[in-house]
Every structure is written in C-alpha cells, then in structure tokens.
Amino acid sequence: MRSILAQTQLFCSLTDAELAQVESLGILRNIAKGTILFYENDVVECMYVLLEGRLKLYSSNDSGREFVYHVAEPGISFGELALFCDERRSICAEAETDCVVMSIHKADFMSLLLTTPELKDQMLNSAMKIIFSLTNMVRDFALKDVYGRIRVLFERLAQPTAEGLLIDEQMSQQDIADRVGASREMIAKIMRELVAGGYVETGRKRLVILKKLPEQF
C-alpha cells in the first residue's frame, strides 16, 4: 500500500516515515463493482485513495441521466478538498470494477496537515489542478459541440502504441455520452462516421485512434 501512496499526487513528496504515518491512519475497504461509496449530499467524513480497481465520480438527475467528471485509477486521491468546508458531498462515487480504497477520517487528516508542511503544499497544488481542470471543462461545454468534446476526451485518454493511439479503457457508447454530456444516439452516429472514415478502430474492449482526428465533424 505504501508504494501506491508514494505515487499519489497528494503524498508523493512525503518521506518514508511520513508515508508510514499516513498508512497507519488509513482504513482499507473492499468495494464490489456497482457499489456506491458515497452519494451526493452525504455528510463529508473522510478522504480516499483508490488502491485497486476503477471508480467513477459523477452527478445524476432524477431521471437517471449521469455526467461523469472523472474516472479514477489506482493511485488517485479524492474527496480531500471537501474536508475544508461545511458543505455536503457534491458528487457521487461508484465502483466501476471491484475496488480497494483507503479512507482517512477528517480529524486524522487535519492532524496530519498540521504536522506535515509538505502535505499542505501538495493540497494547494491539488486544488489548483482541480480548478484548472474544471475551468477547461466549463470552457469545452460552452465553446465546443459534442464532437469537439469527444475529440478532447479521446486525445486526453489515448496513449501512443505501435498500432496508433490506444485508449485501453472499456467505454461503451453510453459511457462516452455520460462523460461528454450527450445522448447515446448522438455518440453512436459520430462513432459510426469516425470508424467509416478510418479514424478509429473499436473492438476487443478498447479503441485505437488510427490517424489524427478531424478538427470538425
């Protein structure tokens, strides 16, 4: 567990002794696929680090429509900024696969901040990155159409391989729709055109970008 903590943005600057202290404060929890870790409007009691699996952070409305802000992978911390205000949770967290998470109670985390100056610096850095990410998200929704948001999503997730740019993440058309704020039908139409144009290849639970995506759809 300590090796994963050392790779998280929040704890990466801590010494081995400080990481051991973080580890001692953590409570491990196994979460089955589909389980809700916390709901919107829940009382904020702790922060989390994802150790195994994949977990989505999202909002939904009364009709069940979702918007996914982020899909967390192992080594990602989340929920820490909410410890600094008296508001309730503003999003939901759900396990997309079987997961293992470590939680640290609010009082323990605040005590850790008082004794670990490097952690304060990382908290500030983390907050600025979240603000930057949300600013970009708002900009994309205001200025880009659905295809433009898909293009941004694909280019952010893709990793270079010999085959092309690979998105090695299982994403259904509904998953893509939830992450760009569109209908599944619109995503299906755009994906058909991208496949027909030789821009992407789908299958085997992955997506490969074969050539540079067009600026406009």
Side-chain angles (χ1 to χ4, degrees), residues 1-2 5-6 11 14-26 102 112:
M1 181 169 66
R2 196 176 308 177
L5 292 176
F11 300 122
L14 302 189
T15 66
D16 194 59
E18 290 167 337
L19 287 172
Q21 184 181 7
V22 173
E23 189 176 26
S24 70
L25 296 173
M102 183 191 79
L112 194 63

